[in-house]
Amino acid sequence: MSGPNTDYDPVEVAAVSPAEVEAARDAALAAIAAAADLEQLKAVRSEHAGDRSPLALANREIGALPPQARKEAGQRVGQARGAVNKALAARQVELEAENEARILVEEAVDVTLPTDRDPVGARHPLTTGSELIADIFVAMGWEVAEGPVIEAEWLNFDALNLGPDHPARTMQDTFWTEPADNHVVLRTHTSPVQARTMLTRTPPIYVVCPGRVFRTDEYDATHSPMFHQVEGLAIDEGISMAHLKGTLDHFATQMFGEGITTRFRPSYFPFTEPSAEVDLVCFVCRGSQVNDEGETCRTCRGEGWIEWGGCGIVNPRVLQACGVDSSRYSGFAFGMGIDRTLMFRHGLEDLRTLFEGDVRFTTAFGSEL
Ligand code: PHE
């Protein structure tokens, strides 16, 4: 660039000619209007308003013009640059607003979507049900006892007056473990916990034992090779069948509601004498044998009663085998299926729903108790 030159004709200086300045301004304004996002606007700014833009170069030419021409050109270029800067600022505001609006839409949070795709589930009804049963007895001052599911044959059978040749051994289809001469089984009932308790404690004894048991049953809607029982054992002086009946009536009422009591039917178990089957008043028809429409009750099939479990006065031979003085103490025992009890309580038709681990089942029944 040269110094001031009085002979210089500004109209001849292409960069600052009205047509050039106008063209540069219009090109800039068109580019600004066309910029679709902030990124593009940034490029437009450096191209049309940056140091090397036509209008910046024109601005630099002005200094070399004679005073009169300089004024005119200065106004022209200044106005053009002003218009471009104003348009840039306006477009910037517009695009920023658009950008924000787009982010709001794109990043919008749908608060109605499920928050957790891995449902947490609930405690299993067998767990909560077993606890409920235990609580009913703990409230009467009983204790909860436990035993192993892999059990000595002697405790599962012999101690309970079921010697090797006792025909009643076949009442419980047993899973034996190998080698057979270890005499170890998967316990077929919770009754070995009776034996374990009597062997390790001195009377009075009041224990309840919920737990898993195993039998070689088919797996269907009412059977399973693994199921749950709850055992009760009371050993004290002067225990009679009346105590047993009162305890089971209380248990039934706590589980199923007022008016649901029990009846005994004579039965046989080697470990109790006398023995009984316990039935519950049908909690659907409440013993009336018919439903509201007068049809035969489907739950008890018109019996008015539902089978619940087995019970009896502990056979003195069992007391003796387990080191309890049978001349001083007597006792009662009972055992029933927890799964069956829960099926009644929740109106379940298929036992298998209790074992299949479907979280929808657990959430529906698990936390209720
Ligand atoms: N153990 C018996 C069974 O599983 C039930 C029972 C327990 C019967 C205690 C009497 C006394 O069939």
Side-chain angles (χ1 to χ4, degrees):
M1 259 171 279
S2 48
N5 176 358
T6 38
D7 300 335
Y8 188 68
D9 179 357
V11 184
E12 297 289 308
V13 177
V16 292
S17 73
E20 279 298 312
V21 171
E22 209 173 291
R25 183 198 65 196
D26 291 348
L29 294 179
I32 292 166
D37 56 36
L38 291 166
E39 199 61 32
Q40 287 181 19
L41 189 66
K42 199 174 163 196
V44 168
R45 176 178 285 114
S46 97
E47 195 185 330
H48 294 277
D51 287 350
R52 307 201 55 77
S53 65
L55 285 175
L57 294 176
N59 199 44
R60 258 178 259 160
E61 296 291 342
I62 293 169
L65 296 176
Q68 183 53 36
R70 193 189 303 162
K71 192 180 169 206
E72 260 180 60
Q75 266 175 8
R76 193 160 54 237
V77 174
Q79 272 167 9
R81 295 182 87 200
V84 169
N85 284 335
K86 209 170 142 200
L88 276 170
R91 189 71 183 133
Q92 175 82 20
V93 169
E94 235 171 68
L95 287 174
E96 273 172 8
E98 261 175 41
N99 199 38
E100 257 167 50
R102 185 180 48 78
I103 288 173
L104 279 179
V105 171
E106 279 175 7
E107 297 181 5
V109 175
D110 181 353
V111 292
T112 65
L113 285 174
T115 53
D116 194 343
R117 296 200 172 270
D118 296 320
V120 175
R123 301 180 72 219
H124 198 276
L126 276 165
T127 310
T128 51
S130 301
E131 285 178 7
L132 174 76
I133 293 170
D135 282 351
I136 292 171
F137 285 91
V138 168
M140 294 192 285
W142 291 45
E143 290 170 73
V144 177
E146 282 182 350
V149 293
I150 301 171
E151 185 57 287
E153 175 188 1
W154 188 83
L155 289 162
N156 192 81
F157 292 123
D158 303 58
L160 300 170
N161 194 31
L162 270 155
D165 302 319
H166 200 293
R169 273 208 183 195
T170 55
M171 280 164 66
Q172 299 183 352
D173 298 317
T174 311
F175 283 111
W176 294 88
T177 65
E178 283 185 339
D181 56 8
N182 273 0
H183 301 285
V184 170
V185 301
L186 298 189
R187 71 180 179 195
T188 57
H189 49 180
T190 42
S191 300
V193 186
Q194 285 188 37
R196 285 180 171 271
T197 309
M198 288 186 273
L199 284 163
T200 52
R201 293 173 180 225
T202 41
I205 292 169
Y206 292 88
V207 290
V208 68
C209 165
R212 263 182 297 163
V213 301
F214 304 83
R215 291 187 197 174
T216 58
D217 284 337
E218 293 296 322
Y219 187 51
D220 62 28
T222 53
H223 298 89
S224 163
M226 187 283 298
F227 56 103
H228 300 76
Q229 280 190 340
V230 57
E231 189 87 8
L233 174 73
I235 307 281
D236 209 334
E237 289 180 25
I239 290 280
S240 75
M241 207 74 176
H243 298 120
L244 172 60
K245 180 71 165 68
T247 304
L248 289 176
D249 278 350
H250 176 74
F251 180 20
T253 307
Q254 291 290 303
M255 263 326 260
F256 297 102
E258 216 46 55
I260 308 300
T261 51
T262 63
R263 78 171 178 189
F264 286 180
R265 279 179 293 116
S267 186
Y268 172 76
F269 298 100
F271 28 94
T272 46
E273 183 58 39
S275 302
E277 301 279 344
V278 201
D279 293 345
L280 272 178
V281 169
C282 173
F283 49 87
V284 174
C285 68
R286 306 189 73 81
S288 73
Q289 307 176 340
V290 289
N291 65 16
D292 291 343
E293 278 78 51
E295 298 154 350
T296 304
C297 174
R298 270 185 291 148
T299 305
C300 63
R301 297 196 185 83
E303 286 285 313
W305 295 93
I306 290 171
E307 271 183 44
W308 198 21
C311 65
I313 294 295
V314 180
N315 192 319
R317 295 184 60 146
V318 175
L319 297 178
Q320 285 149 21
C322 297
V324 173
D325 179 355
S326 61
S327 65
R328 182 172 170 199
Y329 294 106
S330 58
F332 68 72
F334 59 84
M336 50 270 296
I338 298 181
D339 323 78
R340 218 173 124 71
T341 305
L342 292 178
M343 284 174 78
F344 296 155
R345 202 163 184 270
H346 296 300
L348 306 177
E349 280 177 6
D350 195 324
L351 174 70
R352 290 170 291 197
T353 52
L354 280 169
F355 303 136
E356 276 165 8
D358 186 328
V359 78
R360 290 168 300 180
F361 172 79
T362 335
T363 40
F365 294 102
S367 29
E368 184 251 342
L369 295 171

